[in-house]
Amino acid sequence: MRSWLHGELRRPARACGVVLLALAVSGCASRGALFDRVDAELQQGRTEQALTALEPLAASGRNQALYLLNRGMLLRMAGDIDGSIAAFEQAKTAIGQLQPISISESLATWAIAEDSGSYKPPVHEHLLLHAYQALNFLQAGRLEEARVEALQIDLGLRRVDPANHRAPHGGDAFPRYISGLIFEANEDWSDALIAYRKAYESYTQYRQPIPRDLQYSLLRLTDYLELIEERNSYAETFGIQEWAALDTRPDRATVVLVVHDGFAPRLREESVVIGHPSENRLIRVSLPALEARPTRLSRIRLVADGVQTDGDAVEDVSAAADAWLSAQIPGLLARAVTRNVARNEMTRRVERDNQGLALLVNLVGTFLENADTRTWRTLPDRLHLARMQVPPGRHVLRMELLDNAGRVVGGSEQNLDLHRGTTTVLTAHWFGNSLW
């Protein structure tokens, strides 16, 4: 391309452009490298090292919510439930505080780049924040606080969709399902049934398999609440002829196994840089693209006292992320075009008086045009859940992970003292080659 610079202006302007390019590219690359290090540590089961790798993100004001979401998940993986609860509560505060500055930051995304504002999680991630906090409270034996999280899930969905109370791009089935488990543990039978119904509707809407435990839960509760017509409809739909009656006695213990399968999808940047067809300027369009990271895990199994319960996939995080991103692309593309048009007009005006400065404006704008690839990376690709009830006492609980061929690819065993009327949550993480 013919240079617009002459004499003494050429070298400093070119140097500034190179420096700004390096800064723009290194910012995105360093964040991506940071999360790659976190992933690598997690694959080896080194949660403390993963927390250390994440720590540089804490210094970024616009990434506070992103940092706290990932920190809360890593602390949970490390077994520090109290620390995870604290981090997730801080994340809620950080997300809530984004609203007052959203107008100015929205203008920045229109004028500068998509990743110039504070990270604000999409609806499916926000729902999972409450779902994981609910699991934290369940694991800590704080049932009433888990119930509050379930109520917040419902309130949030009512605000997002006043008519149907659903997430716009999916991701609400598992939070609804967990809410039902919590209400059931609290013996709030009507609220449990409402939550299970909403979960069933969401699974159906997005054509996801209905977890078997959810099917039996719907049958048990409609039977207990004497909703005969609804019960019969479920029985016919699910092809289930027999089921155990709802056990309202407080003399049994409930075990819930949640397996985190793989890594959440990451967003990568795809950019096109072209020359203006009639003027000596660059045009760049950058959009995020989803990169799923599934494993070969098909289902899970929980075994106690010789009795086994098969679990099911209860949340497809990648599917929700894909639906969300697909809905964002038209708006992202429109904003990218608007920014390029505005920069081109600015460059044209500056060029009348100073060609060197015009080149600098064009270079800066071009290389600051970055896609926003931030996402809650420590979420799993999918979530699996199994639930069973056992008599109180000491039990040997065995977990098995199975692939598509029905082969056991991972597992573990532990002894637990289970108490009457309690719900015990067990958590495991599977990254395709290791279980911990």
Side-chain angles (χ1 to χ4, degrees):
M1 183 174 66
R2 180 179 60 87
S3 173
W4 302 339
L5 302 180
H6 301 279
E8 297 301 319
L9 285 176
R10 179 180 299 182
R11 188 172 298 167
R14 182 180 296 168
C16 290
V18 171
V19 170
L20 287 167
L21 168 60
L23 290 174
V25 173
S26 66
C28 298
S30 61
R31 190 172 60 235
L34 180 151
F35 278 109
D36 287 343
R37 288 195 297 273
V38 171
D39 290 349
E41 299 294 353
L42 287 179
Q43 284 182 316
Q44 302 300 319
R46 298 194 291 254
T47 52
E48 293 300 327
Q49 289 86 340
L51 281 162
T52 300
L54 179 71
E55 201 56 32
L57 195 64
S60 172
R62 63 191 178 93
N63 288 317
Q64 273 304 292
L66 184 65
Y67 165 71
L68 290 166
L69 287 170
N70 285 284
R71 177 173 171 78
M73 183 63 81
L74 290 175
L75 287 169
R76 175 178 166 77
M77 292 177 181
D80 185 357
I81 299 300
D82 290 338
S84 179
I85 289 172
F88 282 153
E89 289 302 314
Q90 291 173 332
K92 291 180 190 177
T93 301
I95 294 167
Q97 289 176 344
L98 295 178
Q99 191 60 37
I101 60 175
S102 62
I103 295 178
S104 61
E105 290 195 340
S106 294
L107 291 174
T109 62
W110 277 95
I112 302 174
E114 291 297 329
D115 63 351
S116 59
S118 294
Y119 178 75
K120 191 169 185 179
V123 172
H124 68 275
E125 289 187 4
H126 207 153
L127 289 171
L128 285 171
L129 166 59
H130 289 290
Y132 273 107
Q133 191 70 306
L135 287 172
N136 277 340
F137 285 131
L138 280 177
Q139 285 190 245
R142 296 156 64 175
L143 195 54
E144 185 55 37
E145 287 163 290
R147 185 178 182 276
V148 171
E149 293 299 321
L151 294 173
Q152 289 182 346
I153 289 169
D154 182 63
L155 179 60
L157 286 167
R158 288 176 182 272
R159 288 174 176 171
V160 169
D161 181 3
N164 300 308
H165 313 157
R166 294 179 187 168
H169 311 298
D172 55 324
F174 173 66
R176 289 291 197 186
Y177 186 16
I178 284 294
S179 298
L181 295 179
I182 293 167
F183 289 134
E184 197 171 343
N186 276 282
E187 299 183 8
D188 298 331
W189 312 121
S190 294
D191 287 340
L193 177 57
I194 291 171
Y196 287 144
R197 282 175 183 151
K198 292 291 187 180
Y200 171 64
E201 291 169 1
S202 183
Y203 284 123
T204 302
Q205 178 182 357
Y206 290 98
R207 299 179 180 178
Q208 297 177 0
I210 312 301
R212 200 68 168 171
D213 179 74
L214 177 58
Q215 297 178 25
Y216 281 106
S217 296
L218 287 166
L219 288 167
R220 285 196 304 267
L221 284 167
T222 50
D223 200 10
Y224 176 76
L225 296 172
E226 299 182 349
L227 301 172
I228 307 305
E229 185 175 345
E230 183 178 359
R231 180 204 66 188
N232 292 342
S233 175
Y234 287 137
E236 181 178 357
T237 300
F238 302 147
I240 298 176
Q241 303 299 323
E242 297 180 358
W243 56 89
L246 181 68
D247 187 356
T248 59
R249 299 172 299 168
D251 61 349
R252 295 181 69 80
T254 300
V255 179
V256 177
L257 170 64
V258 180
V259 175
H260 302 71
D261 175 15
F263 287 110
R266 57 186 164 205
L267 295 178
R268 68 176 187 277
E269 182 177 82
E270 292 188 348
S271 299
V272 175
V273 181
I274 60 174
H276 192 285
S278 60
E279 303 179 40
N280 290 319
R281 301 191 186 100
L282 295 175
I283 297 173
R284 181 183 182 188
V285 174
S286 298
L287 295 173
L290 196 73
E291 182 182 337
R293 299 183 289 172
T295 71
R296 66 182 188 278
L297 185 62
S298 176
R299 65 183 189 277
I300 65 173
R301 180 180 296 152
L302 183 60
V303 183
D305 303 328
V307 177
Q308 70 178 40
T309 298
D310 287 336
D312 293 296
V314 293
E315 183 61 75
D316 191 331
V317 178
S318 290
D322 186 45
W324 163 76
L325 183 59
S326 296
Q328 303 305 306
I329 290 298
L332 295 175
L333 183 58
R335 290 200 290 272
V337 170
T338 299
R339 284 192 294 270
N340 275 283
V341 170
R343 282 195 296 268
N344 189 58
E345 180 60 28
M346 181 183 298
T347 303
R348 182 182 293 112
R349 292 180 181 180
V350 172
E351 189 177 18
R352 296 169 187 166
D353 300 321
N354 190 323
Q355 287 188 332
L357 183 58
L359 174 60
L360 182 60
V361 169
N362 180 236
L363 285 173
V364 171
T366 298
F367 293 112
L368 289 180
E369 179 62 34
N370 296 314
D372 193 349
T373 58
R374 293 173 295 181
T375 187
W376 187 355
R377 282 273 294 266
T378 49
L379 285 171
D381 174 68
R382 291 195 304 169
L383 280 160
H384 301 257
L385 185 145
R387 177 171 58 151
M388 69 188 312
Q389 287 190 322
V390 297
R394 189 164 186 81
H395 296 270
V396 178
L397 296 174
R398 188 170 77 253
M399 170 187 57
E400 297 177 350
L401 310 182
L402 296 89
D403 63 11
N404 290 325
R407 296 171 298 199
V408 176
V409 294
S412 66
E413 192 171 276
Q414 58 182 304
N415 298 319
L416 286 178
D417 288 316
L418 302 176
H419 303 287
R420 180 180 290 108
T422 60
T423 297
T424 300
V425 176
L426 306 177
T427 301
H429 304 271
W430 171 254
F431 296 117
N433 57 0
S434 61
L435 173 70
W436 51 273

